[in-house]
């Protein structure tokens, strides 16, 4: 019996993935563990491997197309098996592909020709359902329009003529994301779809058309490919679905660094010294501060707000071809040595493409200090409601309480919060608590 090849879930926030390239064609023999295709998410790219020996019977999602996670992108089975058109639709996906490969193959299935060119030709589907769909999904100039069911429902709900929406899916398919972007860029609705109610119909229609042309729909990732396109889409989604506010301040880490330097001097080089790296110290310090401010250790997806019981801290790590956020789970209660072991293990595995090690995070840290950046505005890793940016350390001279000049080492921090769920003052109080923790070395070291 044929087995499904599913789009993997590369992280908690991933809802869909992009197929970059197919290494195999339909009808090719495959072996268990052999790479079938490459896929991309916002933070990682990797290969999808065959779970069994067999033949690649059907490719459901073509290169350049995206689909929801955990839905079929292909089928592998015995060479003499036949995959029905109904089975090849990614059931349960938000954006179900319509009118292209899968449904087109139903019309040409009797001929035994599974070529993508025939299946994608609108005129080839002469079934009753195909004829109805061709009329409904055709623009005024006769051009075929592909649109997902979810996007079509959104268009109907908002009274939008979706022939005016630019689709970014396969074959220009209009997706839920495209429709959402169009609605956000047309807050008054689609003016062309409103009928004038009096004698000024001609003038009103003209004005509406001008307004529609003046405001171009926002299309995230247009012109980009692969991981860069996924990053663009997710960053735009984060910025459009949240109310992001960034707070900046410097914290005194003079005593912390002096204590760490003294301990490292006694330990000498080795693995124990790695437990005192700034990233590991920050993971511990942030976890302590989050215990006092649990409203920042939470998820909000636009519908439901939930404070998380566990503190799972992700740290953004740059890769050669993108970004990964390996997560250290259950930080509270772990020693620095334990955190060091888990953190470095997760980083190494993520850099080697182990996408299954990315546990769901509740708070993210991103550090640009090694690049000399002082302050920046981190973008939320939705559905998380807060992310901490860390900048480059700086030194300044100041007068202490006794009027003596002393050198102070400061660490710049940039906290971005979702102002929908976290108030600015709450964010400021979190930074104040974090500053206190970092100023008292043994709160972090013990």
């Amino acid at each position: 019996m044929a087995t499904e090849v599913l789009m993997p879930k590369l992280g908690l926030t991933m809802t869909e993935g992009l197929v970059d390239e197919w290494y195999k064609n339909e009808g090719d023999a495959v072996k268990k563990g052999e790479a079938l295709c490459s896929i991309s998410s916002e933070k990682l790219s990797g290969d999808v491997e065959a779970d069994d020996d067999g033949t690649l019977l059907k490719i459901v999602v073509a290169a350049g197309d995206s689909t929801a996670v955990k839905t079929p992108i292909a089928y592998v089975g015995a060479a003499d098996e036949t995959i029905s058109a109904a089975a090849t639709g990614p059931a349960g996906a938000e954006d179900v592909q319509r009118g292209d490969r899968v449904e087109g193959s139903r019309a040409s299935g009797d001929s035994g020709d599974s070529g993508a060119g025939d299946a994608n030709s609108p005129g080839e589907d002469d079934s009753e359902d195909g004829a109805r769909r061709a009329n409904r999904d055709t623009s005024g100039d006769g051009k075929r329009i592909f649109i997902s069911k979810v996007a079509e429902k959104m268009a109907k709900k908002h009274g939008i003529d979706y022939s005016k929406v630019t689709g970014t899916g396969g074959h220009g398919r209009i997706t839920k994301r495209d429709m959402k972007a169009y609605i956000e860029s047309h807050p008054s609705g689609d003016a062309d779809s409103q009928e004038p109610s009096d004698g000024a119909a001609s003038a009103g229609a003209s004005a509406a058309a001008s307004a529609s042309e003046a405001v171009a729909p926002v299309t995230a990732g247009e012109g980009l490919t692969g991981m860069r396109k996924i990053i663009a889409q997710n960053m735009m989604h984060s910025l459009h679905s949240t109310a992001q506010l960034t707070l900046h301040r410097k914290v005194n880490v003079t005593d912390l660094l002096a204590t760490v330097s003294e301990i490292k001097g006694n330990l000498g080089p080795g693995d124990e010294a790695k437990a005192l790296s700034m990233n590991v110290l920050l993971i511990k310090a942030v976890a302590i501060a989050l215990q006092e401010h649990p409203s920042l250790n939470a998820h909000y997806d636009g519908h439901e707000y939930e404070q998380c019981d566990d503190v799972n801290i992700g740290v953004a790590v740059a890769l050669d071809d993108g970004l990964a956020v390996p997560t250290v789970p259950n930080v509270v209660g772990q020693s620095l040595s334990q955190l060091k072991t888990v953190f470095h293990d997760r980083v190494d595995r993520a850099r080697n493409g182990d996408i299954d090690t990315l546990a769901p995070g509740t708070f993210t840290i991103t550090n640009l200090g090694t690049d000399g950046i002082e302050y920046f505005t981190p973008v939320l890793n939705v559905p998380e409601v807060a992310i901490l940016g860390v900048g480059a350390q700086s030194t300044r001279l100041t007068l202490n309480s006794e009027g003596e000049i002393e050198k102070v080492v400061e660490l710049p921090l940039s906290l971005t919060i979702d102002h929908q769920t976290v108030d600015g003052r709450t964010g400021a109080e979190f930074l104040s608590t974090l500053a206190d923790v970092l100023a008292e070395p043994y709160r972090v070291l013990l």
Side-chain angles (χ1 to χ4, degrees):
M1 180 178 179
T3 59
E4 298 174 336
V5 180
L6 302 179
M7 172 64 70
K9 186 176 178 66
L10 307 187
L12 177 65
T13 60
M14 178 180 171
T15 59
E16 65 179 17
L18 180 75
V19 177
D20 291 315
E21 177 185 2
W22 280 100
Y23 304 136
K24 295 286 186 176
N25 298 315
E26 290 182 1
D28 287 353
V30 300
K31 293 185 178 297
K32 181 177 181 180
E34 187 175 13
L36 300 176
C37 66
S38 63
I39 58 100
S40 297
S41 72
E42 175 189 1
K43 301 178 179 67
L44 287 174
S45 62
D47 290 340
V48 177
E49 299 177 349
D51 291 331
D52 300 289
D53 294 344
T55 298
L56 183 57
L57 301 174
K58 184 70 179 177
I59 292 176
V60 180
V61 181
D65 284 1
S66 58
T67 190
V69 299
K70 303 301 182 183
T71 58
I73 59 174
Y75 285 82
V76 172
D80 58 352
E81 285 189 75
T82 300
I83 303 299
S84 66
T88 58
E94 278 190 330
D95 292 329
V96 179
Q97 298 179 26
R98 301 169 56 236
D100 49 8
R101 295 178 305 280
V102 175
E103 296 192 17
S105 65
R106 178 164 53 203
S108 58
D110 292 341
S111 67
D113 185 357
S114 60
D118 290 340
N120 290 331
S121 300
E124 294 296 322
D125 191 344
D126 57 1
S127 64
E128 179 180 352
D129 179 65
R132 178 179 56 83
R133 188 175 59 254
N135 291 332
R136 184 180 61 195
D137 296 344
T138 302
S139 62
D141 58 4
K143 183 180 178 181
R144 183 71 172 276
I145 300 173
F146 299 102
I147 182 170
S148 75
K149 291 181 179 179
V150 173
E152 186 177 20
K153 289 180 180 178
M154 292 174 66
K156 184 176 181 180
K157 177 181 178 181
H158 292 275
I160 292 174
D161 178 1
Y162 56 71
S163 66
K164 295 177 172 56
V165 180
T166 301
T168 61
H171 310 289
R173 179 170 55 92
I174 301 170
T175 67
K176 175 185 176 183
R177 191 190 304 275
D178 299 326
M179 190 60 67
K180 182 177 180 181
Y182 187 88
I183 293 171
E184 289 175 350
S185 65
H186 296 72
S188 298
D190 188 358
D192 280 349
S193 67
Q194 306 300 320
E195 295 184 4
S197 58
D198 54 28
S202 178
S206 176
S210 299
S212 178
E213 293 174 358
V215 183
V218 177
T219 305
E222 185 174 5
L224 303 176
T225 59
M227 183 180 291
R228 192 72 257 165
K229 182 174 183 177
I230 299 296
I231 291 174
Q233 291 172 341
N234 283 277
M235 290 299 98
M236 289 290 282
H237 171 67
S238 175
L239 292 171
H240 284 158
S241 64
T242 58
Q244 302 199 20
L245 170 67
T246 303
L247 309 174
H248 306 285
R249 69 163 290 173
K250 289 185 177 180
V251 298
N252 189 333
V253 293
T254 308
D255 292 342
L256 175 64
L257 295 179
T259 304
V260 166
S261 179
E262 180 181 353
I263 295 174
K264 283 185 175 181
N266 293 327
L267 289 175
D271 287 342
E272 290 302 318
K274 291 182 180 179
L276 301 176
S277 69
M278 182 54 72
N279 277 334
V280 176
L281 294 172
L282 282 169
I283 291 171
K284 182 67 176 290
V286 166
I288 294 172
L290 286 174
Q291 287 183 281
E292 296 188 30
H293 303 279
S295 62
L296 277 73
N297 189 58
H299 287 166
Y300 180 62
D301 61 2
H303 303 284
E304 182 178 358
Y305 170 81
E306 177 185 9
Q307 288 190 13
C308 302
D309 295 330
D310 296 328
V311 177
N312 303 332
I313 298 181
V315 181
V317 176
L319 306 177
D320 291 338
D321 56 352
L323 179 73
V325 185
T327 303
V328 179
N330 303 317
V331 175
V332 176
Q334 294 193 56
S335 67
L336 287 175
S337 180
Q338 291 171 319
L339 292 176
K340 177 267 300 182
T341 299
V342 175
F343 173 65
H344 287 285
D345 174 68
R346 294 297 175 99
V347 170
D348 291 342
R349 291 164 66 184
R351 283 176 172 163
N352 289 325
D354 187 350
I355 58 180
D356 293 329
T357 66
L358 305 181
T362 61
F363 188 98
T364 297
I365 299 172
T366 176
N367 192 337
L368 292 181
T370 56
D371 296 313
I373 300 301
E374 189 171 14
Y375 290 112
F376 58 106
T377 54
V379 177
L380 289 174
N381 188 16
V382 293
E384 296 172 18
V385 300
I387 181 173
L388 181 69
V390 182
Q393 298 172 19
S394 61
T395 302
R396 68 181 177 90
L397 299 178
T398 186
L399 293 176
N400 61 22
S401 58
E402 298 176 356
E404 300 173 338
I405 296 177
E406 67 178 11
K407 183 171 67 174
V408 174
V409 181
E410 295 178 317
L411 186 69
L413 301 177
S414 303
L415 177 72
T416 297
I417 57 174
D418 187 348
H419 215 334
Q420 296 178 105
T421 64
V422 182
D423 290 332
R425 181 167 185 175
T426 302
E429 290 172 346
F430 168 82
L431 283 177
S432 180
T433 299
L434 182 58
D436 292 342
V437 172
L438 292 171
E440 302 173 17
Y442 290 100
R443 292 188 66 181
V444 182
L445 298 174
L446 295 180

